[in-house]
């Protein structure tokens, strides 16, 4: 009987470590889910705002080009179409392989190229909340 008491005292640290690990894992899952949701909402809002800006910018130039033939060259129109295609390819959900950072950098590059081709200062056109991806 003394051996059982002694063994339980010796194993007490291991038991508490195991219990603490399990409780910490559960608490971490809850906290991580909450923090991830908050971060997703913050970043998602900024990304959506920027994508909306780029989408609206492209649409206005495409509409202007359609209304006034010769306003922009075919080369510029092709670049605007490529920019619109890149915007349309951004997934609406954050699944595996979404890789928003690379997609948004590509969109920014296409935007800057199209702006330069149109003779517009891209920095003046960007929304003030634009993220540096």
């Amino acid at each position: 009987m003394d051996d059982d008491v002694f063994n339980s005292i010796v194993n007490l640290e291991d038991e508490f470590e195991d219990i603490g690990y399990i409780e910490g894992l559960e608490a971490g899952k809850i906290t991580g889910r909450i923090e991830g949701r908050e971060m997703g909402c913050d970043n998602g809002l900024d990304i959506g705002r920027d994508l909306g800006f780029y989408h609206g910018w492209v649409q206005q130039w495409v509409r202007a080009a359609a209304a006034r033939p010769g306003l922009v060259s075919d080369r510029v129109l092709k670049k605007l179409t490529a920019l619109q295609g890149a915007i349309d390819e951004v997934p609406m959900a954050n699944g595996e392989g979404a890789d928003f950072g690379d997609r948004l950098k590509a969109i920014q590059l296409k935007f800057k190229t199209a702006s330069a081709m149109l003779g517009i200062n891209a920095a003046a056109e960007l929304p003030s909340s634009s993220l540096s991806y």
Side-chain angles (χ1 to χ4, degrees):
M1 182 157 172
D2 287 334
D3 285 342
D4 290 338
V5 172
F6 184 69
N7 284 337
S8 66
I9 292 172
V10 170
N11 295 330
L12 194 59
E13 182 179 354
D14 291 338
E15 289 177 30
F16 281 133
E17 187 176 308
D18 292 343
I19 292 169
Y21 176 81
I22 292 168
E23 289 176 359
L25 190 63
E26 290 302 314
K29 286 179 184 178
I30 293 168
T31 302
R33 193 171 291 134
I34 292 168
E35 288 178 9
R37 185 170 290 129
E38 289 173 0
M39 184 177 159
C41 287
D42 290 344
N43 289 339
L45 175 67
D46 292 337
I47 290 169
R49 186 178 315 140
D50 287 356
L51 285 175
F53 167 79
Y54 294 129
H55 176 75
W57 188 88
V58 168
Q59 289 301 307
Q60 286 304 107
W61 275 103
V62 168
R63 286 183 188 136
R68 293 183 53 199
L71 178 66
V72 298
S73 68
D74 288 342
R75 194 168 148 235
V76 172
L77 195 56
K78 185 176 179 180
K79 189 59 75 174
L80 291 171
T81 304
L83 175 56
Q84 183 62 55
I87 294 167
D88 291 342
E89 289 176 3
V90 174
M92 290 294 139
N94 188 12
E96 273 190 52
D99 201 10
F100 286 102
D102 289 343
R103 289 178 187 262
L104 295 171
K105 284 178 185 176
I107 289 169
Q108 282 183 330
L109 182 61
K110 287 179 186 339
F111 167 74
K112 288 178 182 179
T113 304
S115 295
M117 292 172 80
L118 289 165
I120 298 171
N121 181 0
E125 292 283 321
L126 286 172
S128 59
S129 68
S130 185
L131 297 172
S132 57
Y133 306 106

